[in-house]
Amino acid sequence: MSTEEAPGGPTNHTCDRRNTSADGYGEGSDILMVVEAATQYRCARSILEEAFTNQADLEDDDKLDELFHRPRIARYFLLFRGQRAMGAGLIRLNPMMPQSIYVPYIAIRETDRGRLSTRRMKQLFAEFTRKMGARRILIEAENPRCMLLDASFRKERMQRSAMRIYLLQRVLGASFVCDPDQAAAYTKPASDDAQRVRTSLLLGFVPIEPEPASFFNPNRTAITIERYRQLYLELMQLDYGTETLVPSPSQLAARYPAIRDFMTRTNAYREERRWVSLHP
């Protein structure tokens, strides 16, 4: 999942809660609303595009448009404070695996930072996730440690990545798997080339319902490698599933080298170690 603060100032969209008819999640002036109308979608896309100015960080317009027309497996949402849209995001879901939702993008406009307390944000997303029938949110973030070792990444981008992780931890209560052992490194296909392997990411999860204590070590600084693999597969199945098919682990591994690489490495890893570390 990527999260950015969208720049302030004038925007080229009009998105007023008075112009929407869909019901939202939440009470009072703070509402998380699922996008249904084209005007709402244009507003949401505009907020995302203001935030993610690097083309590598956001799907192209054609892909974003395609997902709007596939509501069984993708939903956009708007976050309102009063009558004004202050944020937007995208959710990947699948009715054939309802236990989780994957949130690849969320953006809060710069002028609205701090207007909602972290407690309120957690409440809105928890209520929304439960009403979707899911028990956890899956997310991703760029790994500052990997970026530090790659000279192609600018210092500013590494700083933004570290801030994203901090915000997702505070705002949503997210936990990220960040084990120093390269055998446990998170890999996924590159969005522009399914045969390429992208490695500069971390897997995050937000339990809406309590996770069994057996998934964590006693001080909750690590989770089991088996649980890590399960969450990884759920996210990949949501990301690459269709309205009629949730790909099996073997189908994912056969099609995507990045997924095959991850499963092979972590299978060997779990023969020697039980735990993978969480980000502090």
Side-chain angles (χ1 to χ4, degrees):
M1 175 184 183
S2 298
T3 179
E4 279 285 2
E5 303 295 346
T11 64
N12 60 359
H13 62 82
T14 300
C15 195
D16 192 302
R17 187 169 156 190
R18 290 168 295 188
N19 297 330
T20 65
S21 59
D23 292 331
Y25 300 92
E27 298 177 354
S29 63
D30 304 328
I31 295 292
L32 196 158
M33 179 181 292
V34 176
V35 165
E36 295 181 354
T39 53
Q40 298 167 1
Y41 163 63
R42 287 194 292 270
C43 172
R45 195 181 81 178
S46 179
I47 292 173
L48 292 175
E49 289 175 340
E50 288 171 10
F52 299 104
T53 55
N54 188 319
Q55 290 183 340
D57 293 336
L58 186 67
E59 299 282 3
D60 61 34
D61 287 353
D62 288 343
K63 180 63 175 181
L64 295 176
D65 292 349
E66 175 191 342
L67 291 173
F68 171 62
H69 294 290
R70 301 173 71 187
R72 279 176 58 83
I73 62 170
R75 303 282 181 87
Y76 289 90
F77 65 85
L78 287 166
L79 179 63
F80 284 93
R81 184 71 192 272
Q83 302 298 332
R84 186 169 178 270
M86 61 183 289
L90 173 66
I91 299 158
R92 296 300 305 272
L93 65 160
N94 197 299
M96 290 179 279
M97 52 176 303
Q99 68 275 15
S100 297
I101 58 175
Y102 164 43
V103 183
Y105 303 115
I106 180 173
I108 305 295
R109 300 181 68 223
E110 184 179 8
T111 52
D112 294 297
R113 281 185 291 181
R115 294 197 178 195
L116 276 181
S117 67
T118 56
R119 178 173 174 271
R120 186 68 182 125
M121 286 285 284
K122 289 177 184 178
Q123 287 177 337
L124 286 173
F125 274 91
E127 180 181 353
F128 170 74
T129 304
R130 288 191 182 101
K131 289 190 176 181
M132 298 284 286
R135 57 180 294 122
R136 72 184 66 87
I137 299 171
L138 301 175
I139 53 179
E140 295 170 326
E142 288 186 306
N143 186 346
R145 182 181 296 164
C146 288
M147 298 170 77
L148 184 64
L149 299 175
D150 188 337
S152 66
F153 288 106
R154 296 173 61 88
K155 181 179 178 180
E156 293 81 2
R157 183 159 179 169
M158 288 185 279
Q159 292 173 334
R160 288 201 304 270
S161 176
M163 180 57 68
R164 287 190 199 108
I165 292 172
Y166 171 74
L167 289 171
L168 289 166
Q169 288 175 319
R170 286 196 64 227
V171 172
L172 294 184
S175 297
F176 289 92
V177 178
C178 188
D179 197 286
D181 192 329
Q182 281 302 301
Y186 180 80
T187 56
K188 74 173 297 184
S191 59
D192 58 343
D193 185 349
Q195 297 304 303
R196 287 175 53 212
V197 178
R198 187 177 181 193
T199 59
S200 58
L201 294 169
L202 298 175
L203 172 68
F205 58 98
V206 182
I208 302 302
E209 303 298 334
E211 296 275 356
S214 59
F215 291 159
F216 299 89
N217 65 347
N219 56 4
R220 299 182 76 86
T221 59
I223 65 169
T224 64
I225 182 66
E226 192 58 42
R227 187 58 172 164
Y228 178 34
R229 285 162 57 89
Q230 290 170 355
L231 295 175
Y232 172 90
L233 285 173
E234 284 187 10
L235 189 150
M236 297 300 156
Q237 288 171 317
L238 289 167
D239 202 9
Y240 301 106
T242 68
E243 290 92 338
T244 58
L245 173 69
V246 174
S248 68
S250 60
Q251 288 172 323
L252 287 168
R255 182 173 181 183
Y256 301 106
I259 297 176
R260 182 168 63 250
D261 174 60
F262 176 88
M263 297 305 291
T264 300
R265 282 185 291 98
T266 55
N267 188 52
Y269 179 102
R270 68 179 175 178
E271 293 179 359
E272 298 181 5
R273 293 176 54 186
R274 180 184 178 190
W275 306 100
V276 285
S277 301
L278 296 175
H279 194 282

